[in-house]
Amino acid sequence: MPIRSLSPRHKPRILAHLLTLKPEDRYLRFGYPATDEQIGRYVTGLRFDRDEIFGVFNRRLALVAMAHLAYSVDPQWATCAEFGVSVSSHQRGKGLGVRLFNHAAMHARNQGVSMLFIHALSENVAMLKIARHAGAKVQRDGSESEAYLSLPEATLDSQFSGLMQEQMAELDYQLKNQAQQFRAWMATVQEIRQGVRDARHTSQRP
């Protein structure tokens, strides 16, 4: 399941994904027990013109994992970005969180970011484990922790790799979209066929 960049047209899918998160997962993702209304405001406030939002879709084009790479609005920290991620419970254990983190790190690196920042609850073991394995320095302050990952400068190889991943993800999305449309068309055809059979059966009754 390739990772692709999301746009404002994906807001309904983003909202649907986040609303399916269990209360404990919402707590770990946002740092507080976010309500449906609060999640709605978060999605409404997403700045696609400034930040980067990445997602993973299943074959039915349901968003099952997403990452938010937020760039600093303070010129003093122009080369810094913050990472946040969420994965649907039924997709855990497949390494999607790690893949999203690595994808975001490479993308940030290619955009000139030198420091990737993660703010998480100290009990968010999975997120902090991903950060540590990537080489980030983790500092704990009671119930909250902060991780800092220094990113190397972009290279021709990293930029080419990022471009190829984006193109492959877009192709995968289009193929899934076509498959979904075909399934919908087939379902309609089956309904029509069934209607014809029922009508024929009724007309043949004595």
Side-chain angles (χ1 to χ4, degrees):
M1 293 189 286
I3 299 169
R4 79 183 305 269
S5 296
L6 305 182
S7 65
R9 68 187 177 91
H10 294 113
K11 279 189 175 184
R13 298 183 190 275
I14 294 173
L15 179 62
H17 162 68
L18 293 175
L19 289 179
T20 62
L21 296 179
K22 297 178 180 179
E24 56 269 26
D25 295 328
R26 295 185 183 192
Y27 177 66
L28 293 178
R29 170 60 183 88
F30 295 102
Y32 60 93
T35 64
D36 290 357
E37 183 180 358
Q38 289 170 326
I39 288 178
R41 287 200 295 267
Y42 165 78
V43 175
T44 300
L46 288 173
R47 293 286 304 274
F48 294 88
D49 58 332
R50 182 189 67 202
D51 300 340
E52 297 287 346
I53 319 292
F54 306 106
V56 176
F57 294 88
N58 64 13
R59 67 186 185 90
R60 295 190 178 278
L61 291 184
L63 189 65
V64 296
M66 65 166 287
H68 185 176
L69 185 63
Y71 295 102
S72 173
V73 295
D74 189 336
Q76 183 179 356
W77 309 106
T79 59
C80 297
E82 183 177 4
F83 174 82
V85 67
S86 58
V87 180
S88 298
S89 58
H90 63 283
Q91 293 290 339
R92 304 280 168 76
K94 298 181 179 180
L96 294 182
V98 175
R99 288 182 54 208
L100 281 165
F101 180 83
N102 292 336
H103 183 86
M106 181 180 67
H107 190 88
R109 172 187 177 189
N110 289 338
Q111 296 299 313
V113 172
S114 60
M115 181 69 70
L116 194 59
F117 170 74
I118 299 170
H119 181 86
L121 295 174
S122 297
E123 59 192 280
N124 194 344
V125 178
M127 184 69 257
L128 296 177
K129 182 179 180 181
I130 291 175
R132 286 193 176 95
H133 282 187
K137 297 180 180 179
V138 179
Q139 298 178 351
R140 177 168 180 167
D141 184 13
S143 62
E144 299 181 350
S145 293
E146 294 180 345
Y148 304 87
L149 178 66
S150 296
L151 301 177
E153 291 185 3
T155 63
L156 183 61
D157 181 64
S158 70
Q159 293 177 339
F160 180 75
S161 178
L163 178 62
M164 288 299 297
Q165 287 187 23
E166 285 290 332
Q167 291 179 343
M168 290 178 61
E170 181 61 28
L171 176 61
D172 175 80
Y173 183 86
Q174 294 303 327
L175 290 174
K176 288 176 179 176
N177 189 39
Q178 291 176 8
Q180 187 181 54
Q181 292 175 354
F182 178 74
R183 285 194 296 269
W185 176 77
M186 284 297 296
T188 301
V189 171
Q190 292 298 333
E191 289 179 2
I192 294 174
R193 287 176 178 173
Q194 187 60 46
V196 171
R197 293 192 192 100
D198 293 342
R200 185 179 301 164
H201 179 71
T202 302
S203 65
Q204 291 175 351
R205 289 179 180 176

